[in-house]
Every structure is written in C-alpha cells, then in structure tokens.
Amino acid sequence: MLYAITPAAVLILNLILNWELFKNYGFYAKKTDRQKQARVRYNWFLLSACCYFVVDMCWGLLYERREVDAFFPYIYCLTVFYFMFMLFTMLAWTRYMLSYLGNGGWRSKVLLHLVWALAVFGMICLALNHSFHLMFSYNDQRVYVGEVGRNLTFLFQIAFYVLITIYMLRVAHNSAGSKKTRCVAVAATSVVLGTFLTFQILNAFFPFYATGLMIGICLVHSFVQASEKKEKEVHDYIASAMAEAYEAIFYIDLDSSEYLAFSKSQKYMTLDATANGKDFFKDALASIEGCIYPEDWEYAKSFYSKEAMLKNLEGKRSFSFKYRVMINNEPRFFLFTAMRESDSQYLIFYEKDIDDELMAEKRQKESQKKTITFGQIAESLASLYDVIYYVNVADSSLSAIKPMTLMAILKSMILAMTFTANRFPTYLWLSMNMIAKSFPIL
C-alpha cells in the first residue's frame, strides 16, 4: 500500500499540471507544423508517464497480495508493462527533445536511431522473458527478482540519458537568453531521469523512477512551459497592438485552406467578414463582386488562389497589393499584405484602409508641385532687375537686395516652404504687394 501511494500522488499531480496541454494540443500534429509537433510529442511523453504511474501503482497494490493465486497472473503482466512503459518514456522523451530543438542534423538522427534500438532491444527481452527470464522472475515465494537483462537495459538507458544530457548542454552552450535556460532545464530533466533510474536498480521496491519522472515533468513545467507561456503572452500583446492598425487579419492553413479571421474595425464589419471558414480562397473569390469596386474585380481575382499567393511569395518574406473596396457605398483603397510564417504551412493575410493616407499624400504632392512652380516664377522675375528694395511698412525701414543675394534668399524661402506650405504663399504675396506699392515704377 505504501509503495502505491507515490505513483498515485504523482499521477494526480501530473494530470493537474498538464491537463490543459492534453486538451489544447492532443496527440496529433502535421509534420509541417513543427511548433505544434513538439508539444504533441511532449504530450506523448506525459501519456507514457501516466501509463507508467498507473502500472506502478497497480503493481504495488497487487504485489502486497501476491500470495493470492488469482492476482499473480496480473502481477506478472503488470511487471511486463512496467518495463515496457519505462522504455516508452525514454523513447517519447527523446523524440520530444529532438522535435523541440528542431534539428534534423546527423547527431539528432544518431540519437533517434539509438533510442529506437534500445526500445526494440528491451521489447525483445520482454517477449523472451517468459521462457528465459532475461528481465525478471518470481521465485517460489512469488518474490520479484531482477535478472541480468533488467540491469543491462537499465544501464543502457542510464548511458543514453547521459548522452542526451551532454547533447543538450552543448546546444545550451551555443544558445542565449530564454532558449538557453530552457535547454538547460531539458538537460537537467535527463539527468534526473538517469539518476533516479540508477536508484531504481539499487532498490527495486521503492518507486524511484516514478519520483524522477515527476521531478523532471515539474522542471519542464516551471522552466520550459512557463517561459514559453510568458513569451506567448508578450507575442499576443504585440500582435494585439499591431492589429489595431489593420481592418482585418486572417490566419490561413495553406494545406487545408481553412482560416480564422480577426477584425476590430467597425467599418470592416460592414462587409460581413466570416470569423472562420473552410476555404479562404474560395470565400475570398465569392465575396469580390459583393464588396469590391467593379473596376477592380479582375485585378483582385488574380491574387486569390493558393498558387498565385505562393508564387508571389517566392524568394520574399511578404508581398502587398491594393485595390478599392466598397465601404458604405463609397470606394476606398485598401492595402492587402500576405506573409508566410517561417518554416510553416500557415499564411498571415492582413488588410488596411489606406484611402486617407493616399489622399494626404496626393495633397502633399500637389502642394510641393505648386511650391516648385512658384519658386521658378520668383527666380525668373528676380533676374530682370538690378536691385529690389524691401520695405517694412510697420517701421518704414528699407533694405536693398541685389539679384544674387535675392536668388539665395529665394532658394532659402523655397526650402522653407516645404515645411510651411500653407503660410508661405501668403507671406510672399504680401511682400511682393508691398514692393509693388512702394515702387510702382517696377
């Protein structure tokens, strides 16, 4: 009974800590989605650990009543599952670690082949155990006895945990910031698993490995998951702040074309944008004639196919295009930008109303054009006179300006007009008007 308390307690603790991971990520991810794949593989590790805890707990409960003939076959089967799930935890942990690093190099392949070889070796020993007692046996008093195969398997597992610890520490040494901390935490977890597996060899009647698993899971929870969660919150905050500048943002799965839409603009909501859908490209094409300015229909249609999007993104991080959208029966220019996530099958597509910006830019260009034209006229007039007098009607002071000096002043005034476009023409008109009144002969 006392033996079973430890695995029962760590099972409950594991489910409390990681239930959200089971619900949010499940046990399947597409190969192209590396980020989710790492979380899914960690879920497989947690599931293997849970199965090990259940088997260890049940073995502890039944082993105390091993003298009951009806219980003994179940005790033997639980012992087989005990070793089997121990191997599975090692396999699942290694696969998670390699997926987390996202490294497909030769070292990762070597580690993966090694762990599979150890798992297969252990399974073969378990399959032959009934005939040859390679892993364990029970004596006449039905007392558990560990055999040579058990010790060899444990030693191989310990050596492997040492190897992946060294590998993770090497990766941590070449990393920085929060990633380095997370890699050290993963390495420390491997150390814990190897250490408590050693204790399990020394004392088979205390659940050392279950304790080591729980300590390792807590390390990952505290230093890896908590760090990732904090980073995600920061990223979500940044994304939310940036989303304020856009009318809508779409998150598109390029494999299935399914999408999620995020819209905060009340103007854009008049388009009846769907919050989520099954086919972004099909829905986009279907909505063109209902919300796009008629003259831009054909131009807009040329972009809304998966092939066109991927072609435009070749060799680029993003690409943009613009056309007019009908908002409250008024055509307004929108800028559309597509950006592909790094090494992912997801596409981010966002839309922004730039009509006001375009109009402001147009007015600025017209103002600059008038400034340049007026400056050219003033320079031409200045070259016709030997001297021009500038009279201040407030205090009757008079200044003589020679053509070369006047040209320099005019150039300075033209430069200044870039910053005071609304005030300069009035100022110059008043100055010329005063000159004309003071010197009518000119």
Side-chain angles (χ1 to χ4, degrees):
M1 185 67 179
L2 291 176
Y3 181 98
I5 291 176
T6 299
V10 297
L11 173 65
I12 295 170
L13 182 59
N14 185 30
L15 292 174
I16 292 172
L17 286 178
N18 299 296
W19 186 252
E20 288 297 320
L21 289 178
F22 289 135
K23 289 199 304 182
N24 293 338
Y25 300 108
F27 298 95
Y28 172 75
K30 298 176 182 177
K31 290 184 178 180
T32 51
D33 191 350
R34 285 170 47 188
Q35 189 175 24
K36 185 179 179 183
Q37 189 180 62
R39 293 190 174 101
V40 166
R41 288 188 175 181
Y42 184 66
N43 278 359
W44 278 108
F45 168 70
L46 294 176
L47 181 62
S48 300
C50 286
C51 292
Y52 176 83
F53 296 149
V54 171
V55 169
D56 202 22
M57 177 184 64
C58 293
W59 183 88
L61 290 173
L62 294 180
Y63 186 74
E64 292 183 358
R65 294 168 177 80
R66 59 187 179 276
E67 68 277 359
V68 180
D69 293 338
F71 288 164
F72 186 71
Y74 296 105
I75 294 173
Y76 184 90
C77 290
L78 287 171
T79 310
V80 172
F81 284 120
Y82 171 91
F83 287 103
M84 185 174 69
F85 284 117
M86 184 180 288
L87 292 168
F88 284 173
T89 56
M90 179 186 64
L91 176 62
W93 174 251
T94 306
R95 295 182 76 240
Y96 158 70
M97 185 192 72
L98 297 178
S99 180
Y100 178 77
L101 293 176
N103 188 352
W106 66 270
R107 293 184 181 87
S108 298
K109 292 179 180 178
V110 168
L111 286 175
L112 192 59
H113 285 114
L114 277 176
V115 73
W116 273 109
L118 286 174
V120 170
F121 173 77
M123 295 299 290
I124 292 173
C125 290
L126 286 173
L128 298 175
N129 187 76
H130 185 71
S131 301
F132 301 101
H133 302 302
L134 296 175
M135 298 288 285
F136 66 91
S137 64
Y138 286 90
N139 60 23
D140 294 338
Q141 288 75 38
R142 295 177 179 175
V143 175
Y144 168 82
V145 178
E147 302 292 350
V148 177
R150 164 191 176 267
N151 296 332
L152 284 176
T153 303
F154 281 7
L155 288 172
F156 286 150
Q157 290 182 67
I158 293 167
F160 185 76
Y161 281 126
V162 170
L163 183 63
I164 61 177
T165 299
I166 294 171
Y167 179 70
M168 283 304 301
L169 289 175
R170 179 181 177 277
V171 174
H173 178 72
N174 296 325
S175 304
S178 58
K179 183 179 179 181
K180 182 173 186 175
T181 303
R182 292 196 291 264
C183 288
V184 170
V186 173
T189 302
S190 300
V191 171
V192 169
L193 294 176
T195 301
F196 278 81
L197 192 56
T198 304
F199 293 156
Q200 193 70 64
I201 295 176
L202 299 175
N203 187 353
F205 296 100
F206 186 86
F208 281 110
Y209 190 65
T211 306
L213 279 173
M214 197 61 242
I215 293 174
I217 290 169
C218 289
L219 282 172
V220 174
H221 180 80
S222 299
F223 293 98
V224 179
Q225 293 175 5
S227 176
E228 289 179 343
K229 185 177 180 181
K230 184 178 180 180
E231 283 189 2
K232 185 178 182 301
E233 289 175 353
V234 173
H235 292 163
D236 289 346
Y237 178 78
I238 294 172
S240 178
M242 292 181 65
E244 296 289 346
Y246 299 98
E247 313 306 321
I249 299 176
F250 295 88
Y251 193 69
I252 308 161
D253 186 334
L254 287 174
D255 287 346
S256 64
S257 297
E258 295 181 356
Y259 65 94
L260 295 174
F262 306 90
S263 175
K264 292 191 176 183
S265 170
Q266 292 301 316
K267 287 191 302 180
Y268 188 76
M269 291 309 291
T270 61
L271 300 179
D272 297 325
T274 307
N276 54 69
K278 296 295 183 182
D279 193 328
F280 171 80
F281 303 101
K282 181 179 178 181
D283 293 348
L285 288 172
S287 67
I288 283 179
E289 295 187 5
C291 61
I292 308 302
Y293 189 62
E295 293 182 7
D296 296 341
W297 284 356
E298 295 304 319
Y299 175 74
K301 286 179 181 179
S302 66
F303 294 101
Y304 291 108
S305 69
K306 187 185 299 185
E307 293 75 17
M309 286 276 185
L310 294 177
K311 184 177 180 181
N312 283 308
L313 281 168
E314 285 181 2
K316 295 182 289 186
R317 183 171 177 80
S318 65
F319 83 97
S320 302
F321 54 94
K322 64 177 182 286
Y323 55 76
R324 287 164 290 185
V325 175
M326 299 300 294
I327 302 293
N328 297 326
N329 297 320
E330 176 189 353
R332 296 182 64 85
F333 272 101
F334 272 60
L335 179 69
F336 301 84
T337 302
M339 177 184 295
R340 189 169 185 174
E341 279 192 340
S342 301
D343 301 324
S344 174
Q345 85 275 20
Y346 292 102
L347 185 74
I348 301 172
F349 186 81
Y350 44 94
E351 310 176 3
K352 183 178 182 181
D353 186 346
I354 60 169
D355 199 77
D356 293 337
E357 295 176 15
L358 291 178
M359 293 300 295
E361 184 179 347
K362 182 179 179 182
R363 287 193 296 268
Q364 183 181 8
K365 287 181 178 180
E366 290 176 352
S367 176
Q368 290 176 346
K369 185 177 180 181
K370 290 178 181 179
T371 300
I372 294 171
T373 302
F374 188 80
Q376 291 172 342
I377 294 171
E379 287 183 12
S380 299
L381 288 173
S383 65
L384 297 177
Y385 304 100
D386 295 327
V387 63
I388 295 177
Y389 293 93
Y390 182 83
V391 180
N392 188 335
V393 295
D395 57 7
S396 299
S397 62
L398 180 142
S399 300
I401 305 174
K402 295 182 179 181
M404 292 304 294
T405 306
L406 182 63
M407 293 294 289
I409 292 173
L410 286 171
K411 288 180 180 179
S412 299
M413 293 170 66
I414 290 167
L415 288 174
M417 189 174 171
T418 304
F419 303 99
T420 57
N422 294 327
R423 297 167 60 185
F424 179 75
T426 304
Y427 167 73
L428 188 58
W429 178 82
L430 288 172
S431 300
M432 295 299 289
N433 189 37
M434 287 187 288
I435 293 173
K437 287 181 180 180
S438 301
F439 298 94
I441 191 169
L442 297 176

